[in-house]
Amino acid sequence: MSDAKANSKAALVDELNGLLADHFALFIKTKNFHWHVRGPRFHDLHLLFDTQALEVRDQIDLIAERVRKLDADTLTSPGSVSKATQIKDQDSTRLSAEDMVAELLADNETLIKRLKGMKDLTEETGDNATDGLLDDWTDMAEQRAWFLRSILA
């Protein structure tokens, strides 16, 4: 493997681990909001947040296994997740429902940006499998963002 291709692979693995961290963080935040949402739209948002959290959770193992298939190591601890994520912490249990929706929308948009930014790395490494997965994960994140954006409209 050439140095350039090895460097691209290392960068791709770093981004995949960042994506893994983002999914862990987004899962926890979405479950937090699922548990703490209140107000007149409680039922609908409680169900939406749970559905979105489960979708994000189900991607975690796929991302980690993709890293392993690239013969690399995944994140190993909550600390490694914290260092690698672009999703900001939210510890408040008193946000309004609208603020929760807006924050999850921004987080999903952050995830979409990361996903789209990874496409060049898959091309540089010739990693068609990861490239296809990125398309699927981007579509899922865009759908979550669309649902959240529609609530705020």
Side-chain angles (χ1 to χ4, degrees), residues 24-124:
F24 270 116
L26 184 58
F27 169 70
I28 292 168
K29 183 185 283 190
T30 307
K31 286 303 278 190
N32 169 33
F33 291 171
H34 162 77
W35 294 322
H36 294 101
V37 69
R38 51 180 71 75
R41 295 188 290 172
F42 166 81
H43 183 263
D44 291 338
L45 291 177
H46 181 74
L47 294 176
L48 175 67
F49 293 163
D50 196 42
T51 299
Q52 290 195 352
L54 294 176
E55 180 180 277
V56 170
R57 181 206 64 195
D58 289 348
Q59 293 173 8
I60 289 171
D61 196 50
L62 297 173
I63 298 165
E65 288 179 355
R66 190 68 213 142
V67 171
R68 295 298 296 139
K69 288 175 187 173
L70 293 172
D71 199 28
D73 294 331
T74 64
L75 304 174
T76 56
S77 67
S80 66
V81 169
S82 179
K83 288 178 195 171
T85 187
Q86 296 176 353
I87 304 299
K88 293 182 176 95
D89 281 348
Q90 178 52 264
D91 294 321
S92 176
T93 61
R94 298 285 179 205
L95 292 180
S96 70
E98 288 74 24
D99 287 345
M100 290 177 177
V101 170
E103 192 161 328
L104 290 177
L105 173 58
D107 291 338
N108 277 281
E109 288 173 340
T110 296
L111 199 63
I112 292 164
K113 184 176 179 182
R114 174 171 251 164
L115 285 158
K116 289 182 176 184
M118 294 171 68
K119 293 291 282 185
D120 288 343
L121 291 171
T122 61
E123 289 179 25
E124 291 170 17

Side-chain angles (χ1 to χ4, degrees), residues 4 9 33 44 61-62 125 133 143 145-146 149 152-153:
K9 181 181 173 189
F33 291 171
D44 291 338
D61 196 50
L62 297 173
T125 59
L133 290 169
Q143 181 167 338
W146 168 46
R149 193 175 305 106
L152 296 174

Side-chain angles (χ1 to χ4, degrees), residues 4-22:
K5 196 164 189 170
N7 289 340
S8 293
K9 181 181 173 189
L12 178 60
V13 166
D14 284 345
E15 279 300 302
L16 281 167
N17 273 319
L19 186 65
L20 179 62
D22 288 347

